[in-house]
Amino acid sequence: MVTETLADTATVWGWLAEVPDPEIPVISVVDLGIVREVRHEGDTLVVAVTPTYSGCPAVDVIDLEIDAHLRRRGVAKLRLERRLSPPWTTDWLSAEGREKLRAYGIAPPVDGTAGSRVQARAARLSGQPAVTVACPRCGSRATEKVSQHGSTPCKAAYRCTACLEPFDYFKCI
Amino acid sequence: MPSLPDMTTPNVEALAADARAPRPDPAETVPELKPALFEGLCRLGDSTLVLGHRLSEWCGKGPALEEDIALANIALDLIGHTQMWLGLAAEVEEAGRSADDLAYLRDAMRFRNLLLVELPNGDMARTLMRQFLFDAWHHEMLERLTGSDSARVAEIAVKALKEVRYHLERSSDLVIRLGDGTAESHRRMAGALDMLWPYTGEMFAGDGTDAALAEAGIAPDPASLHEAWHGIVTEVLEEATLGVPEGRADVQKGGRQGRHTEHLGYLLAEMQFLQRAYPGAEW
């Protein structure tokens, strides 16, 4: 008689930490904070995933990669759940994930600076940017926003006026 | 990872926890409301779908790479909102249709979007002014919907609002920069505003469907959004040296009841072509 043992959830979290984000492969889906829950329902493993941006085209690829990786690790019965609430926030990016982003050349989010009209207005009137983002290459804070939107929905385009390099900023949401 | 409270945004965790708290969801418990709810969800989802599609028309043709990317990103957000609104509409309808069926297989007279969003892009001035007038309404509408008695509606609004804050910030900035820019950019922005203004009143004109949803605590009475919208619009247009037009704002309407301009048909012909020609085709 064969007894199948289910992997405990801590082990599953470890496996999930091996799944890279398809757009920013230096961080994992766990670093990104989009895996919200791992649990068993009977012999089925359930993984709840939340989207970063509602229209992020990587969402389906992420589900596919999680599914494929967990099956490679021997999970036979698996269900992925799309969870909307509470909505994803950059606050959930792990400390380790932030360091990996910086090393990769993407400035990590400056917490507490999600878009707001009041802040935008203050920035306009004062001529000072609402957010100061440090250059991920040289560390200078002499940077400026080129565009609120970058190569993916979660990033803005910046440039460093000290080392003159353009870079992506993972904007706060 | 827990973090310090965010000073500049509402406490989304609390909002979401509140939205999740068990209370009777009229969307699920009051069958008589379903036709109005389906209609209301289509109005939201159709406006985000049609505007998302319009913005996607700029992809690869924007006047600057950054603008091209920004418009495509905003289009993506709006299409993401559409999947949520029309997805819920399809669930409420219980007719076996999916969000995709609603988007790709309805004809123009079944669409419930605002006329404002189906107007052709025109130049960048018109595209950006349309975006600003819409964003100011969209932002206010979503803020109010986060307090909906329907937890399903509220959770979508909480998610979408985070993105729409960035939309409004960007379109306000650009309206000010271009309105208070060169003589040419000012002339174009003023022309766009005059052309679009008569379409704005539709955002605040309620009907029986709106009254039923407001009564049930699902969505706000559209008229109640006007004051906040007008406040934002006045502030930005004045800073942009454009000023608020004096003409009537409620001249062009009917989109939310299915009476559209000729432009929507052309848009749908392009957007729906693939599903119409190859039913059920998938990537």
Side-chain angles (χ1 to χ4, degrees), chain B residues 46-120:
Chain B
D46 288 348
S47 281
T48 53
L49 174 62
V50 171
L51 184 56
H53 187 83
R54 275 287 182 232
L55 293 181
S56 77
E57 292 172 1
W58 276 107
C59 189
K61 306 180 198 166
L65 183 60
E66 289 78 8
E67 282 311 301
D68 198 296
I69 291 171
L71 291 171
N73 270 311
I74 294 166
L76 266 180
D77 287 345
L78 293 171
I79 291 164
H81 303 168
T82 305
Q83 281 171 337
M84 298 191 284
W85 293 127
L86 294 187
L88 184 54
E91 273 184 55
V92 166
E93 189 191 33
E94 291 181 296
R97 292 200 282 185
S98 66
D100 280 354
D101 293 336
L102 292 174
Y104 295 118
L105 300 175
R106 278 178 304 156
D107 282 322
M109 74 205 45
R110 303 279 176 219
F111 268 73
R112 296 292 182 259
N113 58 281
L114 297 162
L115 296 182
L116 178 71
V117 300
E118 71 195 41
L119 298 175

Side-chain angles (χ1 to χ4, degrees), chain A residues 46-68:
Chain A
V46 181
V47 178
V49 182
T50 196
T52 52
Y53 280 68
S54 31
C56 183
V59 166
D60 290 333
V61 180
I62 289 172
D63 281 359
L64 209 68
E65 291 191 345
I66 290 176
D67 186 279

Side-chain angles (χ1 to χ4, degrees), chain A residues 51-52 54 115 121 124 150 172, chain B residues 69 159 163 165-166 173 235:
Chain A
T52 52
S54 31
R121 184 155 187 265
R124 259 202 321 270
C172 228
Chain B
I69 291 171
K159 178 79 188 164
E163 294 157 9
R165 282 204 188 96
Y166 277 111
D173 277 353
E235 178 194 310

Side-chain angles (χ1 to χ4, degrees), chain A residues 92-156:
Chain A
W92 294 345
L93 270 167
S94 69
E96 200 186 335
R98 286 161 196 256
E99 266 324 301
K100 289 182 194 165
L101 282 177
R102 202 192 314 274
Y104 188 60
I106 298 172
V110 178
D111 279 347
T113 56
S116 87
R117 283 196 62 248
V118 178
Q119 205 176 45
R121 184 155 187 265
R124 259 202 321 270
L125 295 177
S126 67
Q128 296 297 314
V131 187
T132 309
V133 178
C135 171
R137 289 187 174 78
C138 74
S140 167
R141 302 184 80 79
T143 61
E144 59 190 19
K145 181 164 80 177
V146 177
S147 172
Q148 196 191 72
H149 295 271
S151 54
T152 64
C154 52
K155 287 178 275 173

